[in-house]
Amino acid sequence: LASMAAIAFTCLVGLSPRTHARLPSSSLRMVALAEPAAGAKPRSRGAGQRERVSTTSLPLRIDGAWYDLSSYADEHPGGRWLLEYARGRDVTALFHAIHMKNSKLATAALSRLPRLESESLPQPSRPCPFPSEQASEGTLQGPYVLAGLDGKPVPEAPPLPPIESELRRDLAEMLRREFPTPASSKASAAHWARTIAALVGTVACWAGWVQGSALACLLLPFVHWVLIAHTVHEATHGNLHTDPRINFWAQFTSHPICFNVFVWIPQHLLSHHQYTNDYEHDVDCHHFAPALISDAMPRMASAESSFN
């Protein structure tokens, strides 16, 4: 009963919007702003702007400009849910990485979206509200959004290396050659067969766990991990299936014994994938102490010691 209560609590905490805002260190700076002010009007970039604009905007910053993706989110090939995770954040690196194979089409689609003036995006009332204040702050900021946790202003541009390079062009050509269609880069029939087998095994182990089977309890972590290894990483990257709804539900196979996807996506995609090993922006740098991942990380021992 105690174990079941702990699992239920973990799942409920994971479903809370506050979970998105909990970061491991107050020294971390996320490149993030807030929900546009009520009544803020999107600014057209040209005649190609869509006429249908939601009353609740979905602001993302790409290449220094803020775009309202609310009118496009339901048509997004990766699904609205991935865009909602990035609400109010700079996703320049992700945009150019994920759309590397079809960068011209993605850029053309972006140019047709409404743009937002940065002045219409209100900042939080103060740099780092306490967890108990997150709910009230959320009414101002919108969900999952924090900014300037160390009291410094949000930078004008994300700390990224140059995006265009000969290597990037070679990679884009390789992707177009090896994966000519959207389905060609997704899970194969054999992958799905193993996934279904792991799912059946996991359900059986959980059923045995409920009944108090020692064998099921022993096998559960291993069988569940096989299921997780076949689903979560690809699903949260939008690459398990061409249907974003399948990717959305497959991400939850990590619950309840592995990790919380509501924390994983902001940490892994929005932070680590964009600002890899940057101590001020990559959450993963704060999770693997005493390992030194970045020269900027504070040491836990004296410089003379072989231990960090």
Side-chain angles (χ1 to χ4, degrees):
L1 289 176
S3 297
M4 294 179 70
I7 290 172
F9 175 77
T10 301
C11 293
L12 289 174
V13 170
L15 291 171
S16 170
R18 290 187 183 183
T19 306
H20 296 255
R22 291 175 182 166
L23 298 173
S25 170
S26 60
S27 66
L28 182 69
R29 293 168 58 201
M30 297 298 290
V31 183
L33 284 178
E35 180 76 0
K41 301 296 184 181
R43 178 169 60 86
S44 171
R45 186 167 183 172
Q49 174 187 327
R50 298 173 183 268
E51 294 181 0
R52 179 170 59 89
V53 178
S54 170
T55 54
T56 302
S57 61
L58 177 50
L60 299 178
R61 189 169 72 171
I62 300 171
D63 291 328
W66 284 95
Y67 296 89
D68 178 10
L69 276 76
S70 58
S71 62
Y72 174 72
D74 291 330
E75 304 170 30
H76 181 238
R80 170 183 284 272
W81 65 282
L82 281 174
L83 297 178
E84 288 287 355
Y85 271 113
R87 172 185 291 273
R89 300 189 187 277
D90 190 300
V91 291
T92 299
L94 284 181
F95 175 82
H96 290 289
I98 292 173
H99 303 108
M100 183 186 300
K101 188 171 71 170
N102 300 305
S103 59
K104 291 183 179 179
L105 291 176
T107 301
L110 185 67
S111 68
R112 293 192 294 270
L113 296 176
R115 289 179 62 171
L116 295 164
E117 297 287 358
S118 60
E119 292 77 12
S120 68
L121 298 158
Q123 296 294 310
S125 60
R126 61 194 192 81
C128 187
F130 292 104
S132 61
E133 299 172 322
Q134 291 294 331
S136 58
E137 284 292 312
T139 60
L140 169 67
Q141 302 176 61
Y144 331 136
V145 178
L146 289 175
L149 292 181
D150 56 2
K152 300 178 182 178
V154 176
E156 290 296 324
L160 298 172
I163 291 176
E164 288 298 329
S165 67
E166 188 64 31
L167 174 61
R168 174 183 167 82
R169 289 187 285 272
D170 288 345
L171 286 173
E173 180 58 34
M174 184 272 290
L175 290 172
R176 287 189 287 267
R177 182 176 63 253
E178 298 294 329
F179 307 107
T181 66
S184 62
S185 64
K186 304 303 188 286
S188 64
H191 185 105
W192 280 112
R194 293 191 298 269
T195 301
I196 292 172
L199 176 61
V200 172
T202 300
V203 172
C205 286
W206 277 112
W209 175 80
V210 171
Q211 296 170 5
S213 168
L215 179 61
C217 291
L218 178 64
L219 293 177
L220 177 58
F222 302 99
V223 178
H224 197 167
W225 172 250
V226 173
L227 174 64
I228 293 168
H230 278 74
T231 53
V232 177
H233 185 272
E234 284 74 13
T236 54
H237 291 65
N239 205 45
L240 183 65
H241 197 277
T242 53
D243 189 336
R245 293 170 298 183
I246 294 177
N247 292 327
F248 174 79
W249 289 109
Q251 67 176 320
F252 295 110
T253 57
S254 68
H255 292 202
I257 65 173
C258 189
F259 58 81
N260 188 326
V261 294
F262 294 105
V263 176
W264 160 262
I265 291 182
Q267 170 186 325
H268 188 67
L269 269 69
L270 300 178
S271 174
H272 176 70
H273 271 324
Q274 295 206 103
Y275 312 112
T276 308
N277 296 344
D278 183 325
Y279 180 70
E280 288 194 332
H281 295 84
D282 182 357
V283 183
D284 281 356
C285 287
H286 300 252
H287 280 186
F288 297 103
L292 277 175
I293 297 177
S294 166
D295 291 339
M297 293 175 63
R299 296 182 64 88
M300 299 176 65
S302 63
E304 296 76 21
S305 173
S306 60
F307 183 81
N308 176 19

